[in-house]
Amino acid sequence: MNPINLLFARLCVLATSLAGVPALAQVPANGSFEAGNPMTSWTIGGDTRAGAVRTADISGGTLVVPDGSWVAAISTGPNARTSGPVDFDGFGGNNDYDISYIESTFAVGFSPAFIAFDWGFASNEQDEQDQFDDLMDVKVDGTRIFSRSSCKNNGSSYSPFPNASCQNANPVNQVINSPAALATVALTYGPPVFQRVCLQLPDAAIADGTATLRFSVADGNDRAFDSTQFVDNVQLKTSCNEVGSIVQLTNTTGSFVEIKNGAPIFRAASARLIASDATGTNVAFATSQNLGANPNLLDQVYVWNGTAFTRLSGLTVQSGGQIQGIALSAQLDGAIRGRYLAIAAKLTETDNTEIYRYDRNTNTLLTITNTTGCDNTNPTIDGDGNVIAFESTCSAFTGAGTTKKIAVWNGTTTSTNLFGTTACEMAEPALTKNANGRYLAFKSKCVHNGANADANFEIYRFDRGNSGGNSGTTAGNFTRITNTTTNGGAGATLNMSPVLDGTTTGTNIYFLSDGNLTPTAAFFNADFSQEIFRYEVGAGTPLTQRTTSSDSIYVGVDTDIDGNVNYSYERISLLNFTFSVGRRRVNTPPTADSENNLATGTSIQFARIGRDGIVPVVNFLSSENFLTTNADGNTEVWQGECNDACRTPLPCRRDTRGRRLRRAAAVRARWADPARRRGSLRLGQSRNLPGCSD
């Protein structure tokens, strides 16, 4: 067993407490609806078109269930019911019909209190006229805390409720078969993609120590066409922080004050940047923490190899210097995983930012650039560390004056004018994680293939050729992945943060965009939210949208070495401005990608994914006190594994209070500046350990 699996196995047996957010008994009872039918602890009302459903109850479709096997479904159908007309949405006039709901009453013994749940809204009104805008909401003691209406293919929203996400661009004509209350309910566009939300309960509603939570649906302006709300994993919480299968790798304290030019300079111990190898078990990070040989808390780079920290002793950053960017080679080199690091740094206060390569085997630092009056930033490194690409404002490399473009070091020399001398901006290079260093993804305003009259940032894949000699930059060497203009009339489409897999042919490129890039596909972006997309070279349908959300935006993505199995995400909720990191597993549309959220809080960023055997490993940074081991709020390095059936279950002991050490549900994480996207572990610092079985 390798070191990290051994570590998780030992922690699973030895951890003795559930730390972090206080654990609550399942409130409300049967909040994941695993009792099936009848739905115990829930009251069904209105037209009573509600019940528990699972994938087997949907003809021709796949329901990706967030927690367990069952979810609740509340529908306006099948067909016309009897309730109404009422003014459900407060829009004026009694013109809403076919109301059904489920509700549960439970004790709330603390304040503030929060309710978290996974939801989806599948509406057959998706292609109907705008005014036929079916509705769903969530109320606590009669106070509405959440609402959505039918997604429309044309992006319109007739009701005052925000749109839910669309499901498919074209009908798939699926049907709920069971239970009897929902039999023949139509899912014209298929079952929904679930989203998780966390909302504060109104103080007035819980003043008496109880709350009644109700999930409702209504048919807007007619009795035709079914719409169905799906709900799962309902939890009463003391905060919106959520914790999955994670451990805290670094645990630092302290600060340092230096007198400089007669003024005090304060430095706190804090991690800022992170990178990982293909397995995720080797983690490099830039930090001012003292994890060995850094008593003055200066910016330095450390590597965690699964058992211990090592500072890059050959790299010395002086007071006033700073690490700007890091990247770790993905592949095994000899006996060392992640042998090489590409580093962008100012080593002194007066330096400009230069590119370096560090060899962990020999502890030697190689200077790649040595320039004056310009900067070289955001490096990326290929799988074996012999190719480095980076952003540069140095005309010696770009031939474009101070305009930022991309340069490539091929193991011997750095390219000159590789992408032409036109003053058009390029950014965010991402080399293949394969050892051949052949493929490079980036965003660019330049014209590489076709036209780009509006000078929008577009995503490209560049083939450096078999020799890797930085030659052959004709149009045929570029795969243009996006071709966008305006974003639904709201300005230029934002395409950003490309990452490449480690296949020999550079097959899969993930990136972020707020464009509606796949308007006729299973998943499309009618609301122009920022989503994750994948381009698969050579596929019949190469471009697919992987996420769909009406409540959040995606701000980071990384892919494992295969590119067609797992990818990590960073996401910000627009409802409560919490941030999430986690891992998603690729499915074939129209089946949605499954998700394992690892952490949610107000300060999380930089999710980087690897795969240790078959186990996805995600590393990230956070200043949250998830496990009651980070009370000082320093930004620390955290590591999480997926918490589904991806490994052999390990036995877990009960803690001293008789509670099982079990895995928790999903979560959320932190916005990071797109320009930057690109410890000793102590027993007892783990919660919800991976693969544990009772």
Side-chain angles (χ1 to χ4, degrees):
M1 183 180 292
N2 74 26
I4 192 167
N5 284 345
L6 178 63
L7 179 62
F8 272 104
R10 287 174 176 169
L11 282 169
C12 190
V13 176
L14 294 174
T16 58
S17 67
L18 282 173
V21 177
L24 303 172
Q26 188 178 36
V27 178
N30 193 27
S32 287
F33 308 98
E34 293 304 299
N37 294 294
M39 292 200 308
T40 59
S41 304
W42 291 86
T43 299
I44 300 176
D47 287 327
T48 67
R49 302 297 98 185
V53 300
R54 52 189 169 176
T55 289
D57 298 324
I58 297 176
S59 174
T62 299
L63 183 67
V64 179
V65 177
D67 187 48
S69 300
W70 295 84
V71 302
I74 313 105
S75 185
T76 63
N79 304 312
R81 310 315 304 171
T82 59
S83 62
V86 298
D87 184 8
F88 184 90
D89 58 7
F91 199 34
N94 294 324
N95 49 18
D96 302 317
Y97 307 85
D98 301 341
I99 293 91
S100 286
Y101 65 85
I102 64 170
E103 69 178 20
S104 178
T105 300
F106 47 88
V108 182
F110 50 87
S111 181
F114 300 83
I115 198 74
F117 56 91
D118 294 284
W119 72 276
F121 192 47
S123 177
N124 297 349
E125 303 279 14
Q126 189 168 306
D127 64 346
E128 298 300 317
Q129 297 178 48
D130 293 354
Q131 67 268 30
F132 302 121
D133 201 11
D134 289 358
L135 311 161
M136 58 157 277
D137 75 359
V138 182
K139 292 188 176 79
V140 178
D141 285 10
T143 299
R144 180 176 290 127
I145 62 171
F146 185 75
S147 62
R148 286 295 180 267
S149 64
S150 300
C151 180
K152 295 291 187 178
N153 288 339
N154 63 8
S156 69
S157 183
Y158 183 82
S159 80
F161 291 0
N163 281 6
S165 295
C166 291
Q167 305 309 124
N168 285 278
N170 299 298
V172 295
N173 298 318
Q174 296 164 5
V175 176
I176 298 177
N177 296 320
S178 178
L182 296 171
T184 72
V185 165
L187 301 174
T188 301
Y189 293 91
V193 176
F194 282 89
Q195 303 175 58
R196 188 154 180 83
V197 300
C198 181
L199 305 163
Q200 185 171 351
L201 301 182
D203 290 339
I206 61 175
D208 62 354
T210 66
T212 297
L213 179 68
R214 175 180 289 194
F215 296 90
S216 305
V217 294
D219 208 332
N221 287 312
D222 69 355
R223 294 186 183 275
F225 297 99
D226 304 342
S227 292
T228 305
Q229 179 182 183
F230 291 79
V231 182
D232 195 24
N233 198 16
V234 185
Q235 294 180 319
L236 178 67
K237 300 174 65 65
T238 58
S239 82
C240 284
N241 279 15
E242 296 190 274
V243 183
S245 304
I246 64 174
V247 292
Q248 184 177 330
L249 291 186
T250 62
N251 188 8
T252 58
T253 58
S255 59
F256 185 83
V257 177
E258 175 186 12
I259 302 300
K260 198 167 193 177
N261 298 324
I265 303 297
F266 174 82
R267 289 194 293 271
S270 181
R272 294 189 303 102
L273 302 166
I274 192 169
S276 69
D277 74 339
T279 69
T281 60
N282 286 264
V283 187
F285 53 98
T287 183
S288 57
Q289 302 164 342
N290 183 12
L291 299 171
N294 190 26
N296 295 335
L297 304 188
L298 297 170
D299 233 14
Q300 304 294 342
V301 177
Y302 289 84
V303 176
W304 166 259
N305 66 2
T307 58
F309 295 106
T310 304
R311 188 177 77 84
L312 302 191
S313 57
L315 175 73
T316 301
V317 180
Q318 300 178 18
S319 177
Q322 188 176 58
I323 308 296
Q324 186 276 333
I326 58 173
L328 189 64
S329 60
Q331 303 288 348
L332 179 69
D333 190 309
I336 299 179
R337 288 196 178 277
R339 173 175 174 175
Y340 295 100
L341 286 95
I343 302 167
K346 291 176 55 176
L347 299 186
T348 69
E349 186 173 19
T350 58
D351 279 351
N352 55 302
T353 305
E354 304 287 3
I355 303 297
Y356 304 88
R357 187 186 75 163
Y358 195 91
D359 185 343
R360 292 173 58 209
N361 185 46
T362 61
N363 286 322
T364 55
L365 186 71
L366 176 65
T367 299
I368 304 298
T369 66
N370 186 9
T371 56
T372 302
C374 55
D375 287 303
N376 305 285
T377 55
N378 292 328
T380 175
I381 193 167
D382 76 334
D384 67 1
N386 287 320
V387 181
I388 295 173
F390 55 93
E391 299 173 359
S392 181
T393 60
C394 301
S395 190
F397 299 140
T398 68
T402 59
T403 300
K404 181 168 64 179
K405 299 190 81 166
I406 292 172
V408 180
W409 178 75
N410 66 1
T412 305
T413 60
T414 300
S415 61
T416 303
N417 306 346
L418 177 61
F419 297 105
T421 59
T422 303
C424 51
E425 187 176 356
M426 303 172 65
E428 298 181 3
L431 276 164
T432 173
K433 297 181 181 184
N434 191 275
N436 63 20
R438 177 169 175 171
Y439 298 97
L440 173 69
F442 54 84
K443 72 177 187 181
S444 177
K445 293 184 176 182
C446 304
V447 178
H448 303 287
N449 186 340
N452 192 15
D454 59 356
N456 198 34
F457 270 122
E458 306 292 353
I459 305 296
Y460 292 87
R461 187 195 70 151
F462 171 54
D463 182 353
R464 298 177 56 245
N466 288 322
S467 66
N470 298 337
S471 60
T473 54
T474 61
N477 292 86
F478 295 91
T479 301
R480 183 168 181 169
I481 294 171
T482 64
N483 187 2
T484 57
T485 53
T486 59
N487 182 349
T493 299
L494 299 177
N495 306 302
M496 66 183 74
S497 305
V499 289
L500 256 171
D501 67 8
T503 59
T504 57
T505 54
T507 302
N508 295 288
I509 303 96
Y510 288 79
F511 63 97
L512 305 176
S513 179
D514 61 4
N516 189 7
L517 308 183
T518 58
T520 61
F523 302 117
F524 61 107
N525 199 17
D527 62 355
F528 300 99
S529 56
Q530 192 159 285
E531 305 286 356
I532 295 174
F533 292 81
R534 182 181 72 156
Y535 188 91
E536 183 179 4
V537 176
T541 304
L543 184 60
T544 55
Q545 182 175 319
R546 309 310 309 183
T547 60
T548 177
S549 175
S550 59
D551 300 334
S552 56
I553 58 174
Y554 287 84
V555 296
V557 62
D558 191 23
T559 176
D560 73 4
I561 200 160
D562 287 340
N564 62 355
V565 181
N566 302 290
Y567 59 99
S568 65
Y569 63 86
E570 303 166 54
R571 181 175 62 215
I572 177 173
S573 168
L574 300 178
L575 299 176
N576 56 21
F577 300 102
T578 55
F579 300 84
S580 300
V581 292
R583 156 268 196 182
R584 292 173 64 89
R585 184 182 294 276
V586 174
N587 285 319
T588 301
T591 300
D593 294 347
S594 60
E595 181 172 295
N596 292 108
N597 286 334
L598 289 171
T600 291
T602 58
S603 173
I604 311 173
Q605 57 185 333
F606 293 133
R608 299 292 181 262
I609 194 170
R611 196 171 78 241
D612 184 18
I614 62 171
V615 181
V617 179
V618 178
N619 296 282
F620 60 96
L621 302 180
S622 179
S623 60
E624 295 289 346
N625 189 18
F626 287 125
L627 308 177
T628 69
T629 53
N630 193 30
D632 60 3
N634 283 349
T635 300
E636 306 287 358
V637 180
W638 303 77
Q639 188 172 81
E641 293 192 352
C642 75
N643 60 1
D644 59 6
C646 63
R647 60 184 303 173
T648 302
L650 300 168
C652 285
R653 294 181 179 175
R654 293 176 182 267
D655 71 7
T656 56
R657 291 160 290 184
R659 293 190 302 222
R660 288 173 293 179
L661 304 178
R662 67 174 70 197
R663 301 166 299 177
V667 282
R668 304 175 182 233
R670 173 92 187 243
W671 171 264
D673 180 350
R676 297 184 298 154
R677 279 193 226 104
R678 269 297 263 207
S680 65
L681 178 65
R682 302 183 304 178
L683 294 179
Q685 283 182 249
S686 177
R687 174 178 174 172
N688 304 319
L689 296 165
C692 298
S693 63
D694 297 323

